[in-house]
Amino acid sequence: MMYPFLHSFFLLILLPSQGYALPLSISQRTVSENVATKRSFELPIRRRTVARTGEPMKRGTYSGSTGLGDFLDLFYTVPITVGETVTAVNVDTGSSDLWVVSDACKTSVCKGTNMLPYPSANMTAAGGSVNLLYGDSTTGTHATGPVVEDTATIAGLSMPQQVFAAVSDTNNTSVMQGANGIFGLGFPSGSQVQAAVINAKFNNPPATDDFVLGTASDGPLLSRLAMSGSLEQPMFTVMLQRDIIDVSGNNGALTVGKLPDGVDDSSLTWVPVRLYRPEDGGLNPPKFAPDEIYPFRWEVPIDGVVFDGQQLPASKFTGSGSGPTVSALLDTGNSLIRGPEDIVDSILRSVSSAFASNPKAAPTFPCATPHDLAFQIGGKNFSVDPRDFVSQNRAGDATTCVANNVVPTDPPGNGALFSWSLGDPFFKSNLVAFYYGNLTNPSVDPPRIGFLSMVPENANNLEQADVAQAKANGGNFESTSQVAPTGATGSISVSPTSISIPTVTTTPASLPSGSSANSQANTGPSNSSGRSIHTGSVLPAILLPAVFWVFSAFI
């Protein structure tokens, strides 16, 4: 059902079959014997030893952090340098590819951006091209262009020979909102750019060996940084700022290679990333690791959903796939919270008497009545701040608001096993840490996600104070936008690593201060010093045939 009160939104749909030759995914598998039955676990810090020498491998010392731009809490952007072009791109944990608009793009959308395009004269072809599609059967956008390579710098960390799409044709309006493309932070399994390069290099290989081993040289930017062995930890964290309703609180930031300063590992709740088997739309394992199951999305199991203190019943839309029936995608490219239609309907009915009487009506409710939507993850509740649940219904009216930050989505299916997509309202309320682990052999060091609630205990009082302030301001809530900090900064060059078939052994151990592991033995993180938008989430359609849904939307 598409509720009439919503602004237009659409889903990205790729139509694949089952089992991917190249990128595909897997289902939830036990992470390890000692954590398989737990809902959360302490990070297993591992020391890796080389089979021949027995010497511990070293982890790197590099990390970086950068602030984010924010267009009315709809688009979040991060500064990036590609070659000599300093620009900003939408930050998207729901997709895996980096693309920027080139000066070859002459569409009205490209002409409408105020960001510098990537110069065609500087392009070095990396092989192939991509056509990234965003939308549904009635509306949609695209981003098309050749796959090229150049040095890319993010958060002060510079990676040479980084592959990306230099888009020459797009109608994707995200580039008109302070951005010049999309920065996907997802797993290699979802990368169309990497798939295009591997296909060109190896003449469309039928097996996934070249793809898996090629991630270190031809994979997504953050995946390559994680595999380089140069980062303190193979991870990144995201915290989004709030620029509507209440312009205050957390500073938005992308931190790469470690937890943010002042945040300790023990304060986070860590849960395993859901893995996708080939039959679920996952990556077929390579011949050198036939028993491996690979991550496909930043997706975790959830224990339940609580609204205003009441546990909500399970959805009747359970979908298909192995592993847990209920899981959630963590997606900064989604400006909303999306969930099963029956559960969303129940939430909106409980909030709004108008909607309860007429499902075609907007779910309006008193602005001064705060509501708490929480997701049970790893045995704990992680809430959406009431300031991120409420939206202004009409300008000049701070009495009657609308619940349009929670909308229905499609049931789970092949390649998209999640029931919920936790978008920007969740990231404004919680710090989320994404740990890649070992991307070649996930069973050695499994990927996981850590959560830390940033919702203050007096959040309800703060929301009511915002309403009172808005009433005193002619019925209008606070709102602003921030430009991504794209000023010149220093950078550290990180050398790419080449990956061969692993020949290492692992032994769980406490990691002594100062020691570390390289890209093939990444350890868990430790502390060192009516709007709807989805910017992406695309799957390598070139080599993979599997169907998955990725939520996209634009105002």
Side-chain angles (χ1 to χ4, degrees):
M1 175 186 297
M2 181 178 293
Y3 296 121
F5 61 86
L6 296 177
H7 294 286
S8 61
F9 70 86
F10 42 87
L11 307 175
L12 165 70
I13 307 169
L14 294 182
L15 301 176
S17 68
Q18 295 182 349
Y20 285 75
L22 275 210
L24 210 140
S25 130
I26 312 152
S27 84
Q28 174 74 27
R29 186 179 64 169
T30 54
V31 177
S32 64
E33 289 300 322
N34 61 327
V35 302
T37 58
K38 299 180 180 179
R39 291 178 294 179
S40 64
F41 55 92
E42 293 296 320
L43 243 83
I45 302 299
R46 297 176 183 270
R47 181 201 302 232
R48 296 201 71 215
T49 57
V50 182
R52 294 180 180 177
T53 66
E55 293 296 322
M57 293 181 174
K58 299 298 182 183
R59 185 191 306 150
T61 58
Y62 297 141
S63 61
S65 184
T66 181
L68 302 178
D70 176 13
F71 178 72
L72 296 175
D73 290 6
L74 296 175
F75 291 97
Y76 288 87
T77 54
V78 62
I80 191 171
T81 301
V82 182
E84 297 180 356
T85 303
V86 179
T87 187
V89 285
N90 291 123
V91 57
D92 184 16
T93 58
S95 68
S96 300
D97 287 318
L98 169 64
W99 65 266
V100 295
V101 169
S102 76
D103 58 12
C105 186
K106 305 301 182 183
T107 65
S108 59
V109 166
C110 291
K111 292 178 180 179
T113 181
N114 58 0
M115 308 298 293
L116 287 175
Y118 182 76
S120 301
N122 293 358
M123 290 183 185
T124 300
S129 62
V130 291
N131 182 27
L132 309 178
L133 304 178
Y134 305 83
D136 62 11
S137 58
T138 58
T139 62
T141 65
H142 64 271
T144 303
V147 176
V148 301
E149 64 179 38
D150 206 335
T151 299
T153 303
I154 186 75
L157 301 170
S158 181
M159 177 63 77
Q161 299 173 313
Q162 178 58 47
V163 295
F164 62 98
V167 168
S168 56
D169 179 12
T170 184
N171 59 349
N172 189 312
T173 55
S174 66
V175 302
M176 299 176 68
Q177 311 297 338
N180 205 34
I182 291 175
F183 180 31
L185 293 84
F187 289 102
S189 303
S191 173
Q192 290 196 28
V193 168
Q194 180 177 344
V197 174
I198 297 300
N199 278 337
K201 280 187 175 181
F202 299 99
N203 193 26
N204 300 317
T208 58
D209 295 56
D210 293 320
F211 183 88
V212 173
L213 296 177
T215 297
S217 58
D218 300 313
L221 176 54
L222 285 197
S223 296
R224 292 183 69 205
L225 285 170
M227 296 185 74
S228 70
S230 298
L231 298 181
E232 294 180 35
Q233 299 285 354
M235 66 175 294
F236 67 93
T237 67
V238 176
M239 183 71 205
L240 301 184
Q241 65 264 44
R242 180 183 302 110
D243 278 346
I244 57 172
I245 302 297
D246 185 354
V247 182
S248 64
N250 307 303
N251 294 320
L254 170 68
T255 302
V256 180
K258 67 171 187 176
L259 292 172
D261 292 340
V263 177
D264 187 78
D265 174 17
S266 62
S267 65
L268 276 72
T269 298
W270 291 93
V271 293
V273 168
R274 183 174 194 169
L275 304 178
Y276 275 63
R277 299 181 185 276
E279 58 267 28
D280 293 329
L283 186 72
N284 286 330
K287 294 178 182 178
F288 66 81
D291 296 326
E292 286 289 354
I293 303 179
Y294 289 86
F296 186 38
R297 304 177 182 280
W298 289 114
E299 181 179 339
V300 296
I302 60 175
D303 307 321
V305 181
V306 177
F307 187 69
D308 286 345
Q310 299 297 315
Q311 180 91 31
L312 299 180
S315 172
K316 64 181 180 181
F317 302 113
T318 57
S320 59
S322 53
T325 352
V326 182
S327 59
L329 174 70
L330 279 299
D331 188 1
T332 58
N334 170 19
S335 63
L336 305 172
I337 301 292
R338 304 177 187 270
E341 182 177 340
D342 53 347
I343 304 302
V344 170
D345 185 81
S346 175
I347 291 172
L348 299 182
R349 286 177 181 274
S350 67
V351 165
S352 171
S353 57
F355 183 84
S357 301
N358 178 11
K360 293 183 179 181
T364 55
F365 67 99
C367 297
T369 302
H371 292 283
D372 178 49
L373 174 63
F375 297 88
Q376 296 176 326
I377 303 173
K380 297 181 180 179
N381 283 3
F382 292 91
S383 294
V384 172
D385 192 296
R387 292 169 292 176
D388 300 321
F389 180 86
V390 66
S391 294
Q392 186 156 22
N393 188 39
R394 292 184 179 87
D397 182 1
T399 299
T400 301
C401 286
V402 63
N404 64 355
N405 281 329
V406 182
V407 300
T409 189
D410 297 282
N414 184 268
L417 302 178
F418 53 89
S419 298
W420 290 86
S421 177
L422 307 185
D424 296 343
F426 187 85
F427 283 87
K428 289 185 288 182
S429 304
N430 298 277
L431 182 147
V432 184
F434 300 83
Y435 179 76
Y436 285 103
N438 189 313
L439 290 171
T440 306
N441 291 83
S443 61
V444 171
D445 189 12
R448 49 257 194 197
I449 301 179
F451 299 87
L452 177 62
S453 175
M454 306 298 287
V455 179
E457 292 184 1
N458 64 336
N460 287 349
N461 293 336
L462 293 175
E463 193 266 355
Q464 291 170 333
D466 292 332
V467 173
Q469 182 178 348
K471 289 179 178 179
N473 188 37
N476 294 307
F477 288 92
E478 288 185 311
S479 66
T480 189
S481 292
Q482 299 175 347
V483 177
T486 53
T489 58
S491 65
I492 299 170
S493 181
V494 176
S495 299
T497 203
S498 59
I499 302 299
S500 58
I501 297 176
T503 56
V504 295
T505 58
T506 62
T507 54
S510 296
L511 192 67
S513 176
S515 294
S516 56
N518 83 342
S519 64
Q520 284 304 300
N522 294 320
T523 64
S526 60
N527 189 40
S528 56
S529 44
R531 307 169 303 273
S532 171
I533 294 178
H534 182 88
T535 56
S537 293
V538 288
L539 169 85
I542 300 175
L543 295 149
L544 330 179
V547 86
F548 68 93
W549 300 80
V550 182
F551 304 102
S552 290
F554 296 83
I555 272 190

